[in-house]
Amino acid sequence: QVQLVESGGGLVQAGGSLRLSCAASGRTFTYHTMGWFRQAPGKERELVAAISWASDRTYYADSVKSRFTISRDNAKNLVYLQMDKLKPEDTALYYCAARRAFGIFTSPREYEDWGQGTQVTVSS
């Protein structure tokens, strides 16, 4: 099991930027696919971005392409989500998730470990 702790959320104006971090501990982090999900009130949890263990594959939801960037530092057990040009519709609770497998996974059910989430609020 991997323990995940997100940080970096907050309140930002539309057009601004935030950088989320996810710190992993427990089992070795290197061979895990990592994902950032978000969930807004009344909506289903959705995948925002995912990255393979070697950083050779990434996935982005259409709604965040060209605005968000996912990256990871396996030596430091950290995953990042750089969010630029934020929009009010990006407002949600953002979660970090892990799955010990190779590949890119898009469904929340495919991830084994989850953080508690960090709130991102974008004002218009």
Side-chain angles (χ1 to χ4, degrees):
Q1 187 178 8
V2 176
Q3 289 77 46
L4 304 170
V5 179
E6 303 94 337
S7 61
L11 174 63
V12 64
Q13 288 188 334
S17 298
L18 283 173
R19 188 195 197 199
L20 304 184
S21 298
C22 173
S25 61
R27 294 185 68 180
T28 179
F29 168 75
T30 304
Y31 302 112
H32 287 74
T33 291
M34 302 298 296
W36 282 100
F37 288 78
R38 68 185 181 188
Q39 188 167 20
K43 295 188 177 181
E44 293 186 353
R45 191 170 297 189
E46 62 172 351
L47 179 66
V48 174
I51 187 167
S52 62
W53 73 273
S55 301
D56 56 340
R57 294 180 62 188
T58 56
Y59 168 91
Y60 295 96
D62 288 342
S63 59
V64 306
K65 281 181 181 177
S66 77
R67 299 190 299 122
F68 290 11
T69 303
I70 189 171
S71 61
R72 66 191 294 166
D73 185 337
N74 288 341
K76 296 182 179 179
N77 287 356
L78 288 168
V79 182
Y80 305 102
L81 185 68
Q82 177 68 40
M83 305 186 296
D84 299 317
K85 302 177 183 178
L86 282 161
K87 303 176 181 180
E89 50 263 46
D90 294 319
T91 295
L93 189 60
Y94 283 71
Y95 297 91
C96 178
R99 172 170 175 166
R100 184 176 172 82
F102 297 119
I104 293 292
F105 307 96
T106 59
S107 170
R109 294 184 296 274
E110 296 177 296
Y111 287 80
E112 300 157 336
D113 301 301
W114 293 83
Q116 294 300 307
T118 184
Q119 179 67 39
V120 172
T121 303
V122 184
S123 63
S124 57

